[in-house]
Amino acid sequence: MEEQRTRRSRTWGGPPRWWRHGPPGWGRRDDEDRGARWPWRSTLLLTVFVLAGSTFASHAQADERAPLDVFARVLLLAGCGVLLWRQRYPAFAAFATAAAATVYLGAGYAYGPVFLTVAVGCFGAIVAGHRRAAWAAVGMLWVGHVLVAHWLYVWLPPAGGEPAAWSQEIVTATWVIAIVAVSELARVRREQWARDRAERALAARRRADEERLRIARELHDVLAHSISVINVQAGVGLALLDSDPEQARTALTTIKTASKEALGEVRQVLDTLRAPGEAPRAPAPGLDRLPELVEQAASAGLTVEVLGRVPALAPGTDLAAFRIVQEALTNVVRHSGSRSARVRIDRAEGALRLRIDDDGPATGADAGGSGNGLAGMRERAAALGGTIEAGPLAGGGFRVLAVLPLKSEEAR
């Protein structure tokens, strides 16, 4: 059936291909044009103003121009009515209004608000991106006016007319340039607003992504450390339940403490999510809680030696340093056969250096935390402009070295 319709169209001279598939905004509607509304209110107001103003102008120029008749009013209505399509077909509206105004002036009718329809049509075309079409339309109007006012006036009404002064063409050219300039300014401002909106939306999405990553890191650090301690103590409790009930009780007590602390920190993160505009109810953890980490690691069977003095840090740096040490000790508990680790804290050259070592040996292929934990540490350090180095030592064991830059007041 489609082939038959195409064949009949070619045989009987159907509309040419260029008419059916014209440029966007001229002979067909794009997807975005389908949602455009009919601007009938503004068009109706403009039509009333143009008709009333042209009638007044005709009376004022009765000695120089032809009086308004039915043909003049048809031209005015056509020039205004075509503006209903200025949002769907902006280039067509620009040319149609310019053509109607050119015929109106060529018929000898009075100067007046007829130029306003051209201004609105060309303004809509330029703002919609059809700049060349709008320039061509106003250029056509100006050239038509020059021809009518200086050469064709002999054959056109009103009878006995004289050529217009060239100074009038300067006024007309100035009016045309003003239309184009104002339209171009509006187009530039509109594009700038669109870019600003897009940049704000992109920045909002970026902040949301960063916040999701931060929350994911927090939850991972809290849960990974606490669950690792719980896992180790659960194994100890099961092994000693019958032979050493007292030691099994100690392991269960450690599990209870670790789970309670994990629940508290998870609740703090969730409270922040539920009320993003409020401050957290509890302060963020920092290196001042390092003794708690050492105690929790000892309850999991890991002896931790802390070397160096804990400096005063900004909240963001303090939290990142605490989480890095926490994750590194968690990896020792989970992935290393060593029962001892060393945490060294140094402050030199405007940076905080955290070094966490264990003596190994590794208990699996993922020793050292090569998964989300190490990635989270690197993200925390990178967010502050720092670095993370992690890898096995030559003599056995594993090392995590974090370098976090300090602000000027922290580095003192």
Side-chain angles (χ1 to χ4, degrees), residues 50-122:
V50 169
L51 289 176
S54 297
T55 301
F56 178 80
S58 178
H59 291 300
Q61 303 172 36
D63 297 336
E64 303 174 3
R65 309 295 293 180
L68 292 185
D69 53 16
V70 175
F71 182 61
R73 288 182 170 81
V74 169
L75 287 175
L76 293 174
L77 287 174
C80 294
V82 78
L83 292 177
L84 284 172
W85 285 268
R86 67 181 183 270
Q87 294 181 0
R88 296 171 179 257
Y89 308 106
F92 168 74
F95 276 107
T97 53
T102 302
V103 175
Y104 176 89
L105 296 176
Y109 299 118
Y111 293 98
V114 64
F115 293 108
L116 186 59
T117 61
V118 183
V120 174
C122 292

Side-chain angles (χ1 to χ4, degrees), residues 201-221:
L202 182 61
R205 288 195 297 269
R206 188 183 300 115
R207 287 193 297 269
D209 292 340
E210 292 174 354
E211 184 65 12
R212 283 194 294 269
L213 287 175
R214 185 190 68 81
I215 293 169
R217 285 196 300 265
E218 287 292 318
L219 290 175
H220 173 271
D221 293 342

Side-chain angles (χ1 to χ4, degrees), residues 139-163:
M140 180 186 71
L141 173 63
W142 183 73
V143 171
H145 182 269
V146 171
L147 291 175
V148 169
H150 296 278
W151 286 286
L152 302 180
Y153 70 93
V154 178
W155 299 279
L156 296 175
E162 297 180 355

Side-chain angles (χ1 to χ4, degrees), residues 159-245:
E162 297 180 355
W166 283 102
S167 59
Q168 184 177 355
E169 300 305 326
I170 298 177
V171 175
T172 305
T174 303
W175 179 86
V176 169
I177 293 173
I179 292 178
V180 174
V182 172
S183 302
E184 289 288 349
L185 178 61
R187 180 188 62 82
V188 171
R189 293 297 300 270
R190 183 178 182 181
E191 292 178 353
Q192 182 63 41
W193 290 335
R195 284 194 297 269
D196 291 343
R197 286 197 302 269
E199 290 175 0
R200 287 194 296 269
L202 182 61
R205 288 195 297 269
R206 188 183 300 115
R207 287 193 297 269
D209 292 340
E210 292 174 354
E211 184 65 12
R212 283 194 294 269
L213 287 175
R214 185 190 68 81
I215 293 169
R217 285 196 300 265
E218 287 292 318
L219 290 175
H220 173 271
D221 293 342
V222 171
L223 296 178
H225 176 75
S226 300
I227 292 177
S228 296
V229 173
I230 291 172
N231 181 63
V232 172
Q233 292 300 320
V236 172
L238 287 174
L240 301 178
L241 185 60
D242 295 327
S243 60
D244 193 346

